[in-house]
Amino acid sequence: MRRRLLTLTAAFALLVTGCTAGDDAPEDGVVRLRFQSLAWQKESVDANRQLVAEWNAGHPDVQIDYVQGSWDSVHDQLLTSFEGGEAPDIIHDASDDLADFAYGGDLADLRPLLPERLRADIPARSWETTTFGEGIYGVPFLQEPRVIIANRKILESSGVRLPTPEAPWTWTEFRRITQDLTRTMGPGRYAVAWPLKEPVSVSLNLGLSAGGQLFHREADGRVAIRFTEADAVVPGTLHDQVVTDRTAPRTTLGSGGSDTLPGFFAGRYAMVPLGFAYRQQIAQQAPEGFEWTVLPAPAGEAGLAQGVSPQTLSIAEDSPYKKEAAAFLDFFLRPENMVRLARGDWMLPTGTTALADPSLHTARDGWATGAAVAEQLRPAPAQSVRGYPEWKDKVATPAFQEYYSGAIDGAELRRRLVTDGNRVLARYQRK
């Protein structure tokens, strides 16, 4: 309501002065747009800055000011900037962070702004991640599957079958292999280390492979949480590896992906499930002679399907230069540029033309494995669920953390996710 009042007040002021947002021309004739980027790795920042410089060189009348943002604080920073009327024109974010901004009227509906070329090149399943209600509020452009980074020498010496995208491990096979590997590795060493500082996204996104969905849209349009046998496959496997089989250490459950790399390089862990972009750190930090390989995550009844929340580019609803911002997005996300961005971030492009680029299908550094898995990526289960951030923080994260550590059992996990979780979602779905 406060935002609506502010918007009406601003509109009235424009009418009084005889101006409209569409007629808001800069005094020097140069349109200046602020582009807030969340790129942080050097290669990625370089690629972003180079593309901005190329645009600026070719478009003297529309100049882009590069603004450096941070993934750690972007949600709160955007909340503040939207409320204060100081949001950047072009916004880099992730699709799972867009729902409240889209429904709150902070982001522009891109349907009348984007060229057909860009709309057609990105698959419908990717557009689903940025569609809220009837509108599209971001362009999904980079995606990151979860893969298994493995110590090639340990796996090959053990004689286990190495999975491929065409013949992946099943979740049952994965558990058995970790049991066999741990026995051969010796005391204090584990077949797999799960970095589960963010347990919810890992559990839900990988759970799609087993047919899990967790969030279900009812006949009345509301979303309800149901924890089925399919939803229990992936969490149950992780729990059993840590608590029952002792094939995965408890010590990494609160860790981020980077925290597991020293142990991985030292041979304490044979495998670490990580986001695809972690390959950059491994390639740069691995000790000389260390041999690693990229394996697809295990498959279930839905094959290699897994959920993703792509990186996105949006336009602020309050920007007076939406057409100019959309033209920049069209340039920024041309297929050849999308490839540059993907390689800079060590991720995969959503565009079909860019994804077909030969440089993304080489065996080196596991690019080919990721490109093959990309065909199976789907919107994350909670993509458009209002109230998901609160459910995640207050209910799901502590529940999964306690379950994976062995503090609660599967029945209690189910009760918390469903009973407590539906209470949270109900507050956001009152009509």
Side-chain angles (χ1 to χ4, degrees):
M1 178 61 71
R2 179 171 60 178
R3 177 170 178 78
R4 189 173 293 121
L5 290 172
L6 289 171
T7 302
L8 289 172
T9 301
F12 180 75
L14 286 172
L15 288 171
V16 169
T17 58
C19 299
T20 65
D23 297 328
D24 189 10
E27 292 183 3
D28 62 359
V30 178
V31 171
R32 288 182 171 81
L33 302 173
R34 286 189 301 145
F35 166 36
Q36 178 170 291
S37 171
L38 302 181
W40 62 277
Q41 300 180 99
K42 184 181 184 304
E43 292 179 54
S44 180
V45 172
D46 289 347
N48 277 262
R49 287 187 174 277
Q50 287 166 5
L51 287 172
V52 168
E54 291 172 17
W55 166 273
N56 286 341
H59 300 81
D61 294 336
V62 180
Q63 293 289 284
I64 305 296
D65 294 330
Y66 183 95
V67 179
Q68 187 62 60
S70 170
W71 286 107
D72 294 336
S73 59
V74 64
H75 184 82
D76 291 341
Q77 179 263 323
L78 287 175
L79 279 174
T80 302
S81 64
F82 283 132
E83 287 293 333
E86 298 179 348
D89 301 274
I90 301 164
I91 298 164
H92 183 189
D93 203 350
S95 61
D96 60 355
D97 191 42
L98 299 185
D100 288 343
F101 298 134
Y103 288 120
D106 298 309
L107 302 177
D109 182 357
L110 300 179
R111 288 176 301 169
L113 298 170
L114 296 179
E116 180 58 27
R117 177 206 67 78
L118 186 57
R119 288 283 298 273
D121 192 49
I122 295 175
R125 64 177 181 272
S126 294
W127 285 116
E128 288 177 23
T129 67
T130 58
T131 299
F132 303 95
E134 297 297 320
I136 294 175
Y137 295 93
V139 182
F141 71 108
L142 291 180
Q143 54 192 346
E144 182 181 23
R146 293 187 183 273
V147 294
I148 296 176
I149 310 295
N151 184 315
R152 179 184 291 276
K153 288 184 178 179
I154 292 178
L155 264 63
E156 290 183 346
S157 64
S158 71
V160 303
R161 179 183 74 84
L162 295 184
T164 65
E166 297 73 28
W169 289 330
T170 65
W171 285 101
T172 300
E173 188 179 8
F174 178 53
R175 183 183 175 190
R176 177 181 57 75
I177 284 171
T178 58
Q179 292 170 337
D180 295 341
L181 269 178
T182 301
R183 280 194 294 268
T184 62
M185 290 176 66
R189 304 172 76 196
Y190 300 88
V192 61
W194 284 97
L196 291 178
K197 186 176 182 180
E198 299 288 341
V200 181
S201 61
V202 175
S203 306
L204 270 59
N205 289 340
L206 289 180
L208 285 183
S209 66
Q213 186 66 32
L214 198 66
F215 297 94
H216 300 266
R217 194 164 294 279
E218 307 288 52
D220 62 1
R222 302 191 183 202
V223 175
I225 299 171
R226 295 198 294 272
F227 192 81
T228 67
E229 290 185 8
D231 292 299
V233 170
V234 172
T237 301
L238 273 63
H239 169 275
D240 291 344
Q241 287 176 327
V242 175
V243 178
T244 306
D245 304 338
R246 307 292 176 87
T247 57
R250 278 188 174 88
T251 53
T252 65
L253 293 180
S255 301
S258 299
D259 300 325
T260 62
L261 296 184
F264 177 60
F265 295 148
R268 290 199 297 273
Y269 321 129
M271 297 179 285
V272 184
L274 293 169
F276 196 57
Y278 276 96
R279 297 170 304 123
Q280 181 185 36
Q281 286 182 252
I282 294 170
Q284 294 176 347
Q285 298 174 13
E288 187 175 354
F290 184 85
E291 297 183 19
W292 56 281
T293 188
V294 178
L295 309 175
E301 66 176 40
L304 289 170
Q306 59 175 277
V308 290
S309 297
Q311 292 187 24
T312 58
L313 293 172
S314 301
I315 298 174
E317 174 61 27
D318 287 347
S319 174
Y321 304 114
K322 296 184 182 67
K323 290 183 179 180
E324 291 84 352
F328 172 72
L329 292 188
D330 183 35
F331 162 81
F332 196 72
L333 298 178
R334 289 175 183 171
E336 63 272 22
N337 293 341
M338 203 181 281
V339 172
R340 291 165 63 181
L341 293 167
R343 293 192 64 83
D345 240 336
W346 287 61
M347 296 177 69
L348 296 166
T350 58
T352 53
T353 304
L355 188 59
D357 189 275
S359 70
L360 304 180
H361 292 262
T362 62
R364 182 178 175 84
D365 296 328
W367 281 105
T369 297
V373 173
E375 300 295 329
Q376 306 297 323
L377 300 180
R378 300 292 181 267
Q383 193 64 62
S384 60
V385 177
R386 301 203 70 179
Y388 170 74
E390 181 180 344
W391 174 82
K392 174 185 174 183
D393 293 341
K394 295 183 178 180
V395 176
T397 294
F400 276 117
Q401 287 174 336
E402 292 182 45
Y403 177 60
Y404 290 141
S405 69
I408 63 174
D409 61 14
E412 177 62 11
L413 173 69
R414 182 192 304 269
R415 187 198 69 77
R416 292 194 192 180
L417 295 179
V418 176
T419 304
D420 296 348
N422 279 323
R423 287 197 190 103
V424 171
L425 297 192
R427 295 203 307 274
Y428 290 82
Q429 302 185 88
R430 291 172 182 160
K431 294 185 178 179

